[in-house]
Amino acid sequence: MTHLLPDVDHRHLDALEEEAIFILREVAGAFERPGLLFSSGKDSCVVLHLAEKAFKQKLSKPGERPVFAGKLPFPLVHVDTGHNFPEVIEFRDARVAEMGERLIVGHLEDSMKKGTIRLAHPLESRNGHQTVTLLETIEEHRFDCMIGGARRDEEKARAKERIFSHRDSFGQWQPKEQRPELWNLFNTRIKPGEHFRAFPISNWTELDVWLYIARENIPLPNIYYTHKREIYRRKGLLVPVTDVTPPDASDTVETVDVRFRTVGDMTCTCPVESDAATTADIVAETLQVTVSERGATRMDDRTSEASMERRKKEGYF
């Protein structure tokens, strides 16, 4: 399949890039205290690259690893559950240090110490609980808009959301009260205590993201590419062997060539079998998949058809 990649028409990426940069500049112009959510996932890495294109001067040449001069008009923000893959946190810290940008980290452990989050048991998935830490971080730093890398093709609930998603004073999303977005005109008015979530790559697909990563040579955590990892199989998923996802006595542990299509909390994020070592290989794989990356790799999204929408109404990103 990789021999077909030179024939892929990339012109639509220019239109998607232009739209995303317009949205990012709209955020910077309309809000007083925006922040860019940076989890080091592929989508947030793309949004970060687009933000650098929107607000910085590019120094590198085409084909080289992108290098920019200048500062972003907003800080980077990460909600750390404490159960992130070590490779992802290492990449986050190295990337932020390389750029010299400000990083604000909201720690779920701090919410647990305050008593605003209580786990049923120590190995419980923390993914759903990070909503509390996110809202506490927004309140502490008085953010009026949070920029993120959510895409409409990921999941049914995300497909219902606007590019500028209004959140009430409780941080909640009301699907039936979304504001119309006609001709790229956005209503960004908010009352005290309310805020927006902005999604510059809403109209992108997983394939678009990988084509853009390949074209722009965007760096990613190495777990997005093939590597050997111990896993056990459960409910059609490959569960990685970690301290927070130990196998049961009945599970058979295997060492398999895998990569991650999405990254998140270790307790609910699974890899897929793959030998894709380059972005071109991943593009070729993505051309053949029939299940979204969340549907194929996220245990928390399989609990019910409405699991994502319920979490979003509570304030989840």
Side-chain angles (χ1 to χ4, degrees):
M1 289 290 291
T2 55
H3 69 282
L4 298 176
L5 297 187
D7 297 326
V8 175
D9 189 345
H10 287 218
R11 286 178 296 179
H12 73 291
L13 293 180
D14 295 329
L16 291 171
E17 179 187 74
E18 181 180 347
E19 178 189 53
I21 288 175
F22 169 76
I23 293 166
L24 286 163
R25 289 174 176 166
E26 188 79 2
V27 169
F31 297 97
E32 294 183 4
R33 298 179 66 87
L36 191 156
L37 282 171
F38 181 61
S39 66
S40 297
K42 67 180 186 308
D43 298 320
S44 67
C45 286
V46 166
V47 173
L48 177 58
H49 178 79
L50 289 163
E52 290 194 290
K53 273 198 163 186
F55 302 108
K56 295 183 178 183
Q57 178 186 5
K58 189 173 183 180
L59 303 178
S60 54
K61 297 178 181 179
E64 296 179 347
R65 177 168 174 164
V67 177
F68 296 87
K71 288 285 186 179
L72 295 176
F74 36 67
L76 307 182
V77 183
H78 183 216
V79 176
D80 188 351
T81 65
H83 285 172
N84 297 99
F85 289 96
E87 300 95 328
V88 175
I89 297 300
E90 290 171 9
F91 176 88
R92 180 201 69 184
D93 294 341
R95 188 79 179 91
V96 171
E98 176 186 48
M99 294 185 299
E101 296 291 347
R102 179 188 175 201
L103 174 67
I104 295 172
V105 181
H107 293 279
L108 192 139
E109 297 278 356
D110 292 338
S111 299
M112 292 169 59
K113 291 176 182 177
K114 290 189 295 185
T116 52
I117 292 178
R118 296 182 180 180
L119 302 182
H121 56 84
L123 297 184
E124 179 186 358
S125 175
R126 298 181 177 185
N127 191 55
H129 292 291
Q130 64 182 307
T131 297
V132 174
T133 306
L134 172 61
L135 294 178
E136 289 176 346
T137 303
I138 290 172
E139 182 179 12
E140 178 184 353
H141 297 276
R142 296 185 292 113
F143 289 120
D144 53 4
C145 184
M146 299 301 295
I147 306 163
R151 308 188 323 270
R152 287 177 175 145
D153 76 320
E154 288 182 90
E155 203 273 341
K156 295 176 182 179
R158 294 204 191 279
K160 296 167 62 175
E161 195 157 29
R162 301 282 194 263
I163 291 174
F164 279 80
S165 177
H166 175 263
R167 302 300 168 107
D168 63 21
S169 57
F170 296 99
Q172 296 179 332
W173 172 60
Q174 304 297 339
K176 295 182 180 180
E177 296 181 9
Q178 296 184 88
R179 299 174 180 181
E181 294 180 348
L182 306 175
W183 307 293
N184 285 338
L185 298 176
F186 304 110
N187 181 352
T188 58
R189 296 179 181 177
I190 54 174
K191 298 176 183 178
E194 299 177 342
H195 70 276
F196 268 89
R197 312 283 174 88
F199 306 112
I201 61 172
S202 283
N203 294 326
W204 297 43
T205 65
E206 183 183 10
L207 179 60
D208 294 330
V209 167
W210 280 110
L211 286 171
Y212 191 72
I213 289 169
R215 188 182 83 171
E216 301 289 313
N217 198 23
I218 299 173
L220 298 176
N222 55 20
I223 65 173
Y224 274 108
Y225 302 97
T226 187
H227 59 283
K228 293 190 180 297
R229 186 175 291 266
E230 288 189 336
I231 59 95
Y232 55 94
R233 302 176 189 270
R234 183 174 294 173
K235 296 181 180 179
L237 296 173
L238 309 183
V239 182
V241 177
T242 69
D243 292 340
V244 294
T245 54
D248 294 335
S250 59
D251 293 317
T252 301
V253 175
E254 309 171 51
T255 300
V256 179
D257 290 323
V258 300
R259 70 175 181 88
F260 286 84
R261 289 177 66 186
T262 183
V263 298
D265 195 289
M266 287 190 294
T267 57
C268 62
T269 307
C270 299
V272 296
E273 290 191 67
S274 173
D275 59 0
T278 66
T279 51
D281 295 336
I282 293 175
V283 169
E285 278 191 359
T286 306
L287 284 167
Q288 302 177 71
V289 298
T290 57
V291 181
S292 74
E293 66 261 46
R294 295 193 70 92
T297 66
R298 298 298 291 268
M299 287 184 280
D300 55 332
D301 288 338
R302 293 191 172 195
T303 55
S304 76
E305 286 288 322
S307 58
M308 171 63 80
E309 182 161 337
R310 175 182 53 77
R311 294 202 305 274
K312 286 177 70 64
K313 288 179 179 179
E314 294 170 353
Y316 187 75
F317 206 84

